[in-house]
Amino acid sequence: MSASPDDPDKIMSEEEHHAWWATLSDEEKMVAYVPTGYQHLLLVIAYIKRALVLCEMKAGERLHHLEWLNKQTDNYISPEMLAIIEPMSDAEIAMMHEARSLDQNESDSKSFEILTNWKVFNSFLALNPSILAAIRLRERRVIKTKSLAAELSTLVGTRG
Amino acid sequence: MSDPPKSADELPDWGPKMRALANDRQRAFVCALFEAPRKEGRVIYAARAAGYGTPESTNKSLSVIGSRLNVSDSIQAAIAEESQRRLRGLSPTAITALENLLGDPTHRDHARGIGMVLDRADPVATSHNITVEHKAAPHEVVAATKEVLARIEELARRAGIPQLPPPIDAEFSVVPQGANP
């Protein structure tokens, strides 16, 4: 069971989920496979980049944000993915602020739920195709890794 | 014991709390508390000396009268005021005693006596160490040094940000790679 893409408060039954999944293109499925935590992180990376590019700040503050960005790379987000994401546009910033305004405090997760909602996240992807490009990079890396693993397995099997 | 004062106006050196007492008997009661010969029975002595009760009154009845007086707010305030006044009046006696103490190096409190005199003649300067702690976030204390600016440039390149506005606390320019400095 999962939240409905149209209404986050509605929980889809298994049948409804299968029916919805069948309507998705391969690229949409690729996006749907991105864990919500990483969906949110991709948006925050674009948001921070926007702040770095446009906002006046002291060197220490700038360094702080850049070091934070640098630390976000892991097994999922590669340095290439980090580098390819473009700063948010005005429209994205407005959406982000609208979502953030729902949070009463730092521990509130309302904005997280809104931003990672299927429709909202896809709206961000439409406005900022670099995020989708980053997800594609990830997919290519997965495919490449799987292919290498298969080759290695074949090689080991042949020698054995 | 001295005779109880007849009227507050006759003794203008009364403090405001003593003047505020209802009558001379109450003022006499307060004064007599200080002049009682011993700790025990002080209230009975003061009540009797101030003229409360009759010559035939028992200690028990005087004790009740005195205790009632002793706990009244106006009497309590007057006692506190009179205590302060009498304490100040003790100074000459205390100084004499202190002089005797200072003049006797063998007295066990000789050193303490010297300390008391010095404290009052040249009060000890008290120092207060007040630690004002401001926990600044690390990025608030980073100066825009050459190394910091170089690190910013490197991280910006890694993050795919080709050009950044200059930081507001430093002159900053991005030198293209390969350009002569």
Side-chain angles (χ1 to χ4, degrees):
Chain A
M1 291 208 293
S2 61
S4 163
D6 295 319
D7 181 3
D9 292 331
K10 190 188 162 198
I11 302 297
M12 289 192 289
S13 66
E14 204 170 325
E15 291 75 30
E16 285 172 326
H17 186 265
H18 281 307
W20 169 72
W21 189 256
T23 64
L24 299 182
S25 67
D26 285 347
E27 191 156 88
E28 284 173 327
K29 283 178 183 167
M30 178 186 75
V31 173
Y33 271 126
V34 177
T36 50
Y38 280 108
Q39 286 180 7
H40 188 258
L41 184 56
L42 292 170
L43 295 179
V44 174
I45 287 171
Y47 182 76
I48 296 290
K49 282 192 177 185
R50 160 78 177 215
L52 282 163
V53 168
L54 281 191
C55 297
E56 283 192 336
M57 54 181 87
K58 287 185 174 181
E61 204 177 349
R62 178 155 295 155
L63 181 66
H64 175 72
H65 291 316
L66 283 165
E67 292 284 11
W68 182 86
L69 278 179
N70 192 43
K71 280 180 196 159
Q72 302 317 308
T73 55
D74 57 13
N75 284 335
Y76 194 94
I77 296 186
S78 64
E80 293 75 27
M81 285 171 72
L82 176 72
I84 207 173
I85 296 170
E86 293 284 329
M88 279 188 171
S89 62
D90 290 347
E92 290 170 85
I93 288 289
M95 286 164 65
M96 192 79 171
H97 286 170
E98 192 71 25
R100 290 297 300 273
S101 70
L102 299 171
D103 294 341
Q104 300 294 316
N105 53 56
E106 283 297 313
S107 59
D108 221 336
S109 62
K110 284 199 180 91
S111 70
F112 179 89
E113 286 162 19
I114 292 289
L115 293 168
T116 57
N117 168 263
W118 175 252
K119 278 196 166 177
V120 175
F121 187 66
N122 273 283
S123 302
F124 275 105
L125 297 187
L127 289 166
N128 191 342
S130 71
I131 298 175
L132 184 60
I135 296 170
R136 282 197 199 109
L137 272 180
R138 158 75 192 167
E139 187 64 10
R140 269 181 232 152
R141 194 152 56 100
V142 171
I143 292 167
K144 199 175 168 185
T145 310
K146 279 182 180 170
S147 155
L148 277 170
E151 273 179 41
L152 197 65
S153 172
T154 313
L155 205 67
V156 171
T158 312
R159 285 189 181 177
Chain B
M1 195 190 87
S2 59
D3 292 334
K6 297 294 178 195
S7 160
D9 293 331
E10 287 173 24
L11 293 164
D13 61 334
W14 286 136
K17 307 289 183 195
M18 283 291 270
R19 280 173 176 275
L21 290 180
N23 50 50
D24 288 339
R25 273 212 303 194
Q26 288 191 357
R27 277 184 280 276
F29 175 76
V30 172
C31 290
L33 283 172
F34 291 95
E35 290 153 14
R38 60 183 188 276
K39 282 183 184 176
E40 295 81 14
R42 189 185 292 267
V43 171
I44 297 169
Y45 172 87
R48 197 189 300 277
Y52 287 97
T54 62
E56 291 79 32
S57 293
T58 62
N59 280 352
K60 192 174 180 183
S61 63
L62 283 170
S63 169
V64 171
I65 294 168
S67 296
R68 281 183 187 156
L69 284 167
N70 209 20
V71 295
S72 89
D73 288 344
S74 55
I75 296 279
Q76 286 282 317
I79 291 170
E81 184 185 78
E82 192 61 12
S83 297
Q84 287 283 323
R85 202 177 66 85
R86 285 175 184 250
L87 202 60
R88 281 197 293 273
L90 275 175
S91 291
T93 317
I95 288 168
T96 307
L98 188 60
E99 279 172 351
N100 291 338
L101 178 66
L102 295 175
D104 179 8
T106 61
H107 195 287
R108 62 176 184 162
D109 289 329
H110 178 72
R112 201 184 336 161
I114 293 171
M116 283 168 67
V117 171
L118 288 177
D119 282 353
R120 281 151 186 78
D122 183 14
V124 176
T126 55
S127 65
H128 299 271
N129 292 322
I130 302 168
T131 307
V132 180
E133 197 171 335
H134 169 64
K135 286 185 178 171
H139 63 266
E140 287 180 315
V141 292
V142 172
T145 60
K146 201 175 163 185
E147 291 75 20
V148 167
L149 296 177
R151 177 75 176 153
I152 286 174
E153 205 181 322
E154 183 200 339
L155 290 171
R157 205 165 25 242
R158 273 195 221 170
I161 305 170
Q163 197 153 12
L164 286 170
I168 55 176
D169 54 345
E171 292 294 322
F172 184 77
S173 63
V174 177
V175 181
Q177 273 188 324
N180 290 326

